Amino acid sequence: MLDPFDPDCFIVSANVHIIGIEPRISRVLELPVKLNFAQLHEVLQVAFGWTDSHLHQFHVGGLTVGAPEFNEDDLYGPRTFEATGVRLQDLAFPYEADPTLTIIYEYDFGDCWRHQICLRRQPRENGTAYPRCVAGRRSGPPEDVGGYSGYADFLEAWLDPAHEEHKAMRRWAGRKFDPERFDLDATNKAIARALRASKGDYRFRRVPRS
């Protein structure tokens, strides 16, 4: 039986999708409870094909979690809690028959990509390495495409050979881009590489932490 007080006997399943896009762009991730939010950021970046070239933050209840140095000049904004200091095991799941917890990951404050993350605890499988992606649908949008409406316009041109912007959009997105493609094996390899490179922190930080 799953012991909720023993972090070594369970993991967290994360059902993630980008809000506002249909059909959904989604990933199902299985995460160790000791994963911190900087590492979770790295997992989400590679799982959706982002390039970590914009700011981000997590909304956890009424709290903001992320890299505090990026809003250190905003004296009147909400406090940002250091992502390396918050782990999945710190989250309080509700007491229900099938308890879930929903948080939001926001990436690129200009395009405003918001990812809904539905978290659920489940038993750890012996002999399984975490984190891992177990399912996914569709490719993440290209960077700097202009948010939800920009992506819709992009797809209209990308899919229609008769569209005046078709060739330009194909060149801009690159030959490898396919909005319906998802490669589970490549995603898991990218997750492993990202976590090795991050070493428990963000791979890229503006200033060293004291």
Side-chain angles (χ1 to χ4, degrees):
M1 182 177 180
L2 181 64
D3 181 355
F5 299 103
D6 181 3
D8 291 327
C9 77
F10 66 89
I11 61 166
V12 173
S13 173
N15 199 320
V16 192
H17 73 272
I18 300 177
I19 298 172
I21 295 180
E22 292 293 342
R24 281 188 174 183
I25 299 172
S26 64
R27 306 290 185 264
V28 180
L29 306 168
E30 293 183 346
L31 311 167
V33 295
K34 294 182 180 179
L35 200 77
N36 67 45
F37 273 67
Q39 293 171 305
L40 178 57
H41 160 77
E42 300 293 346
V43 171
L44 291 168
Q45 282 288 303
V46 296
F48 283 90
W50 300 124
T51 62
D52 205 4
S53 52
H54 299 280
L55 299 180
H56 76 280
Q57 60 189 3
F58 290 91
H59 301 284
V60 185
L63 304 179
T64 300
V65 177
E69 63 264 24
F70 287 112
N71 69 351
E72 61 187 4
D73 297 326
D74 187 1
L75 300 179
Y76 302 102
R79 174 188 175 188
T80 299
F81 289 85
E82 168 58 51
T84 59
V86 183
R87 299 180 182 273
L88 291 176
Q89 67 186 27
D90 299 326
L91 301 177
F93 284 79
Y95 291 98
E96 299 173 358
D98 186 20
T100 60
L101 183 67
T102 299
I103 64 176
I104 298 295
Y105 171 68
E106 184 177 359
Y107 172 64
D108 185 349
F109 299 162
D111 281 5
C112 194
W113 297 113
R114 291 169 60 85
H115 307 64
Q116 180 175 295
I117 308 174
C118 184
L119 303 171
R120 177 182 288 104
R121 289 186 296 192
Q122 67 183 44
R124 172 185 288 273
E125 295 181 16
N126 292 331
T128 300
Y130 302 103
R132 65 176 182 173
C133 182
V134 295
R137 294 183 59 198
R138 310 186 74 213
S139 174
E143 292 275 6
D144 303 316
V145 75
Y148 313 110
S149 61
Y151 187 49
D153 293 340
F154 163 81
L155 284 180
E156 181 181 357
W158 192 90
L159 292 168
D160 182 4
H163 196 286
E164 62 181 1
E165 295 293 324
H166 177 73
K167 290 183 179 179
M169 291 298 100
R170 289 271 174 159
R171 286 195 301 269
W172 179 73
R175 293 180 180 180
K176 294 183 179 180
F177 181 77
D178 179 350
E180 302 305 321
R181 184 173 184 269
F182 172 71
D183 188 326
L184 181 61
D185 184 58
T187 298
N188 277 311
K189 289 179 179 177
I191 288 173
R193 287 195 300 269
L195 287 190
R196 284 196 300 269
S198 68
K199 298 179 181 179
D201 200 340
Y202 289 114
R203 283 179 290 173
F204 309 109
R205 299 202 75 140
R206 191 177 71 178
V207 294
R209 287 187 298 133
S210 58

